[in-house]
Amino acid sequence: MFTQGDRAEHQLRREMLTARLAGSAADYRWHVRRGGSLFWADGVMTPVRDADGALTGYLKILRDITASKLAEDEVRRLATIDVLTGLANRAAFDARRAEMMSFAARSGQLLLLLMIDLDQFKDVNDALGHQAGDLLLQLVAQRLRAVCRESDFVARLGGDEFALIQQNVPSPSTGGLLAEKLLAELSRPFQIGDREIAISASIGIAVCPLDAEAPDLLLKKADLALYHAKEAGRNCYHY
C-alpha cells in the first residue's frame, strides 16, 4: 500500500496514468505492509491489456530494498556528521551557512555567525592525552547545544574549533549576549575522569548582512574577529 501522504497526493492515480501513457511507471519510495510497517521499495507498474489491446488493469511488482536504503541513508548522514561529537561537520557547515544566509537575505533578517575556539585545549591534550581531549570536546559540544536554541546550527569545524549560526535575531547585540552565555558555560569546570579541568574560549562574531553578504566573506570576518578576541587576552568575544 501507499503511505497516507502518497494517497493524499494521489500517487497511485499518477502512476497508473504514467504506466498507461508511457508503458510503465517506476516507483522508488516508502510503502506500507498489511501489518502497518514501512518498507522501502523499488518497483514498476505496467498496464495489462487483453488480446484486443483493451486495458484491463495494472500489474505492479515491488522489490523490498529497505536494508540497502537505510545503509545508504546512514552513509549520507555520516558524511555530514562529526563522528566524535555528533555535531555537524565542516562540509555540512559550509552548505548550511550558504543556505541560511540566502534565507536571511530573502527575508530581510539578521544572521549571526559565531566562531568559537577553546583556549587551553592543547594543554589538556599534552597533560592528559588525546583520550581526555576527545572527552573534553564531547562535553563542550553538549554544553554548546544546551545553550543554543533548537533552530540554531552548531558545528565542529575541526580540532578545538566550533561554529554557531543563529538566524532571525533582533539586533547585532544579540550576538554579544549569546557569546556571554557561551563563555560562562564553557568556563565552568569539566569533569574528566577524577580530575576537574578548567578552560576558557574565545569567540569571534560576524553579522550578516552588516559585515558581509557572501558566505565565504562572512566566515573571514568571523575568523578575523576571533583572532582579535585571542589577541585581547582570550576568554572574551569580539565583533
Side-chain angles (χ1 to χ4, degrees):
M1 285 193 302
F2 286 99
T3 64
Q4 184 176 353
D6 285 340
R7 291 199 301 272
E9 295 177 1
H10 307 292
Q11 179 60 29
L12 175 58
R13 184 181 303 172
R14 287 202 295 268
E15 281 192 22
M16 292 169 65
L17 178 61
T18 300
R20 186 169 73 250
L21 297 177
S24 66
D27 187 17
Y28 189 67
R29 66 183 64 248
W30 289 108
H31 286 269
V32 184
R33 295 187 179 91
R34 289 182 182 276
S37 61
L38 292 173
F39 70 102
W40 188 270
D42 181 3
V44 62
M45 177 185 289
T46 55
V48 177
R49 301 182 183 277
D50 61 20
D52 297 324
L55 181 66
T56 60
Y58 296 88
L59 172 66
K60 184 169 184 177
I61 299 175
L62 294 174
R63 182 167 58 109
D64 186 345
I65 56 170
T66 307
S68 60
K69 166 62 176 174
L70 295 178
E72 177 184 314
D73 288 347
E74 180 64 8
V75 169
R76 189 179 296 112
R77 185 188 72 84
L78 291 175
T80 62
I81 294 295
D82 175 61
V83 177
L84 178 63
T85 63
L87 298 177
N89 63 14
R90 182 61 183 254
F93 167 74
D94 288 339
R96 191 64 181 275
R97 182 176 80 254
E99 176 186 309
M100 294 177 76
M101 289 181 65
S102 176
F103 176 80
R106 294 195 306 271
S107 59
Q109 298 175 357
L110 293 179
L111 175 144
L112 299 172
L113 172 58
L114 278 68
M115 301 296 289
I116 306 158
D117 191 82
L118 305 183
D119 292 331
Q120 293 90 16
F121 181 71
K122 184 177 183 302
D123 296 339
V124 175
N125 259 346
D126 292 343
L128 302 180
H130 290 287
Q131 186 173 0
D134 287 348
L135 178 56
L136 177 59
L137 291 173
Q138 292 170 343
L139 295 175
V140 166
Q142 291 175 13
R143 292 194 186 182
L144 292 178
R145 278 191 293 245
V147 171
C148 296
R149 304 181 308 190
E150 188 174 345
S151 58
D152 294 344
F153 182 77
V154 188
R156 179 187 175 218
L157 305 187
D160 61 343
E161 188 174 37
F162 298 82
L164 188 158
I165 303 175
Q166 186 173 96
Q167 57 187 148
N168 192 21
V169 297
S171 71
S173 62
T174 304
L177 297 175
L178 176 58
E180 288 174 0
K181 290 181 181 179
L182 293 170
L183 292 174
E185 188 66 20
L186 295 177
S187 66
R188 293 191 299 108
F190 291 86
Q191 191 69 38
I192 307 292
D194 58 354
R195 300 186 59 171
E196 278 194 350
I197 303 299
I199 64 168
S200 62
S202 299
I203 300 177
I205 306 171
V207 185
C208 171
L210 303 181
D211 294 323
E213 297 184 21
D216 289 345
L217 184 55
L218 189 72
L219 180 60
K220 289 180 180 179
K221 294 292 184 70
D223 274 330
L224 182 60
L226 176 61
Y227 171 80
H228 286 309
K230 285 194 172 290
E231 286 290 296
R234 305 183 178 187
N235 193 30
C236 64
Y237 66 89
H238 198 281
Y239 278 89

